[in-house]
Amino acid sequence: MGKRLADEGIDDFVILEKCDGVGGTWNLTITTPRGDQQNTLTVKADGESFTGVLVGARGPTEITDGKVDGCTLTWTGQLTSPMPLTLVYHATVDGDVISGNVVLGAF
């Protein structure tokens, strides 16, 4: 069972499972105004940056501008449906727990 994380923005997410380290595959539940959304986040870390993809019910969203600063991860994702939206993610890793928020950027 995942741990509910503090909502600091529009949405929060819950980690259900995680591979060892920052890189790997994470199963996420992102809480939205339309209900919980199940997602799989795949991360490939490379020093102070990372790449990856977030896959949910609406398909894959490529991670763009992925940055690592100590235990803090930031990235953006572009949605195209139901309208073009930029989502800005901010997360902190603490051992095997990641917590954070996602907010609407420019659309």
Side-chain angles (χ1 to χ4, degrees):
M1 183 69 187
K3 178 187 276 188
R4 180 71 50 196
L5 304 172
D7 182 11
E8 298 177 17
I10 293 174
D11 301 321
D12 67 346
F13 49 91
V14 176
I15 296 301
L16 299 177
E17 297 176 28
K18 176 195 158 305
C19 297
D20 292 334
V22 174
T25 301
W26 303 68
N27 293 319
L28 304 178
T29 300
I30 300 177
T31 302
T32 74
R34 294 182 179 217
D36 289 350
Q37 306 295 315
Q38 302 303 314
N39 294 265
T40 301
L41 174 65
T42 303
V43 174
K44 182 177 179 187
D46 184 17
E48 295 182 354
S49 65
F50 71 96
T51 58
V53 64
L54 181 68
V55 180
R58 294 183 184 254
T61 302
E62 293 293 323
I63 291 173
T64 54
D65 200 28
K67 293 184 175 64
V68 179
D69 182 10
C71 294
T72 301
L73 304 174
T74 56
W75 71 95
T76 58
Q78 305 295 320
L79 297 179
T80 57
S81 177
M83 68 176 103
L85 296 171
T86 299
L87 299 177
V88 180
Y89 297 82
H90 181 270
T92 302
V93 176
D94 183 8
D96 63 352
V97 175
I98 185 171
S99 60
N101 60 63
V102 54
V103 295
L104 292 175
F107 56 94

